[in-house]
Amino acid sequence: MVKLNKIYTRTGDDGSTGLGTGERVAKYDLRVAAYGTVDEGNAAVGIARLHLAAYPQVDAVLARVQNDLFDLGADLCVPERPDAPPPDFEPLRIVPAQVRRLEEDIDRLNAELSPLTSFILPGGTPAAAYLHLARTIVRRAEREMAELARAPGEHVGAEALRYINRLSDLLFVAGRYVNGHGANDVLWVPGAHR
């Protein structure tokens, strides 16, 4: 269990931060950027949840997602490095069951939506707009995680990459779902304002 007695430590005043292994890295390190963007996505999901009183089933899914995003941040902040000694604790990692749950949630919500006939613009209801905002932040986190995974000497777990990819899909479907099951989707009309 995490125990935080002191909020500021002054250890980051030099522009560095500590990973879960205790290693110090620059605050702009790609790994820190990736889990920082995951955290940003989590905050956006939290804002979307403020507008889901009419959709308790979606709110329940997103409550679990928010917890999973902390798991993902924990996964990313403890790098797997084959050339380094293992940490003296069992690192928290994203597992296949978390990805499967997202897929089940996507399929359940999507089954109630009509097929798309166009791309949709972020908007409609406040809940949908915030879910689309969260989706775009999660996509940025995915890009950063993919870049990190390809950086020399770095590793990102396959399940972590699958999870973040599925999550943006879930947020897209949830955005449509809370937009009157897609009835309030704002469709893109190519070239409409030329």
Side-chain angles (χ1 to χ4, degrees), residues 70-95:
F70 263 79
D71 290 354
L72 178 57
D75 185 326
L76 291 170
C77 87
V78 179
E80 294 181 56
R81 296 210 168 101
D83 56 338
D88 56 359
F89 58 90
E90 183 66 33
L92 185 60
R93 302 291 182 210
I94 294 295
V95 296

Side-chain angles (χ1 to χ4, degrees), residues 25-148:
V25 297
K27 288 188 177 185
Y28 55 82
D29 184 90
L30 187 54
R31 181 170 294 278
V32 177
Y35 67 70
T37 305
V38 167
D39 190 36
E40 186 182 342
N42 201 344
V45 170
I47 293 171
R49 290 186 62 209
L50 296 174
H51 301 276
L52 292 177
Y55 295 95
Q57 70 282 26
V58 175
D59 186 57
V61 167
L62 295 179
R64 190 186 68 243
V65 161
Q66 284 195 287
N67 197 81
D68 284 352
L69 287 173
F70 263 79
D71 290 354
L72 178 57
D75 185 326
L76 291 170
C77 87
V78 179
E80 294 181 56
R81 296 210 168 101
D83 56 338
D88 56 359
F89 58 90
E90 183 66 33
L92 185 60
R93 302 291 182 210
I94 294 295
V95 296
Q98 289 169 294
V99 177
R100 275 194 308 273
R101 269 195 305 270
L102 286 182
E103 291 172 347
E104 291 164 3
D105 293 333
I106 292 166
D107 292 343
R108 188 176 64 255
L109 295 176
N110 198 47
E112 297 185 38
L113 303 176
S114 57
L116 282 172
T117 58
S118 174
F119 288 108
I120 61 172
L121 305 178
T125 64
Y130 282 119
L131 285 166
H132 284 293
L133 176 62
R135 173 185 57 79
T136 63
I137 294 169
V138 164
R139 280 287 189 211
R140 180 162 31 97
E142 181 182 14
R143 291 190 300 272
E144 291 170 352
M145 288 171 60
E147 183 180 1
L148 176 64

Side-chain angles (χ1 to χ4, degrees), residues 110 113-116 120 172-182 185:
N110 198 47
L113 303 176
S114 57
L116 282 172
I120 61 172
F172 177 78
V173 169
R176 292 196 67 217
Y177 190 90
V178 303
N179 234 353
H181 290 77
D185 284 342

